[in-house]
Amino acid sequence: MVQQVLINDDDYYVPDANQLVTEDDTPVDNFASEKQQRLLVGSLYSSLQQQSLLAAANVGIYHTDGQPAIVPDVFLSFDVQMPENWWEKQNRCYMVWRFGKPPEVVLEIVSNKEGDELGKKLEIYEHMRASYYIVYDPNQQLGEKVLRVYELRGRRYFETSENWLEQVGLGVTLWEGKFEDRQDTWLRWCYQDGNVLLTGDERAEQERQRAEQAEQRTQLLADRLRAMGVDPDTL
């Protein structure tokens, strides 16, 4: 059991962060999973800059006193902020009792059949009361379904055919395209109209194309004016 410390005069106890394993430096990911995690986390911060959120990959979540952390491939929590001093022991991972709530979304990327994503992990996330649990199985290790979405209703998860996460105002979709020079099928966040949340590079490219199109329109207008005998530089 994790030791507890008294933190105020109301006899309210929380686990002592110094007794918790916040990181173990064990490399566990493969290239595909790491890149997929980076796409999911990066596009959230790039596209939802006006929202208060915390998203991370391979960061532990402590949810119950006396139980070890669970480490989802990706999690998303709204209306929370990263502690200013994230090097302090109690700020290095997501402790539900410190943030005041579990993440709204937890996501696992299936690499093999050893993770028990549809068994023990589902039970833990259900007990933790994460609003949505997403299982992305690109190589169909667990069956025919590539994508499974579970929604918390009451105290239990129910698998849903909807990829729109109503409680958080986001969806997930499978997207064919190129990310960091890798053409593949990617799991991405999307808006209700189906458009995906853009990464920083995609946003920059979009702006570059808009600027280029604006320049082309300006040049076309100038050419038409000259054809009419009007010098556009004098306007």
Side-chain angles (χ1 to χ4, degrees), residues 74 76 103-110 116-137 141-168 170-172 187 189:
V74 173
L76 168 61
E104 277 77 16
V105 183
V106 288
L107 186 148
E108 295 286 354
I109 302 168
V110 181
D116 203 15
E117 285 84 4
L118 302 182
K120 185 63 176 177
K121 285 184 178 179
L122 185 148
E123 293 176 1
I124 292 173
Y125 293 133
E126 182 180 70
H127 176 75
M128 190 173 73
R129 304 187 65 77
S131 300
Y132 294 98
Y133 173 39
I134 299 170
V135 180
Y136 178 42
D137 186 10
Q141 297 280 340
L142 306 180
E144 294 183 0
K145 291 184 179 180
V146 172
L147 185 63
R148 294 175 172 87
V149 177
Y150 296 89
E151 181 179 31
L152 190 68
R153 301 173 188 170
R155 298 188 300 117
R156 295 288 178 264
Y157 273 143
F158 290 85
E159 187 173 1
T160 174
S161 59
E162 293 291 331
N163 290 350
W164 176 249
L165 316 180
E166 182 67 33
Q167 297 181 50
V168 298
L170 282 177
V172 287
L187 179 65
W189 307 105

Side-chain angles (χ1 to χ4, degrees), residues 203-220:
R203 289 168 67 90
E205 175 61 21
Q206 190 178 75
E207 290 302 316
R208 187 194 66 79
Q209 291 180 1
R210 286 174 179 170
E212 185 178 89
Q213 290 169 1
E215 184 178 350
Q216 290 173 349
R217 288 194 294 268
T218 300
Q219 184 61 47
L220 179 61

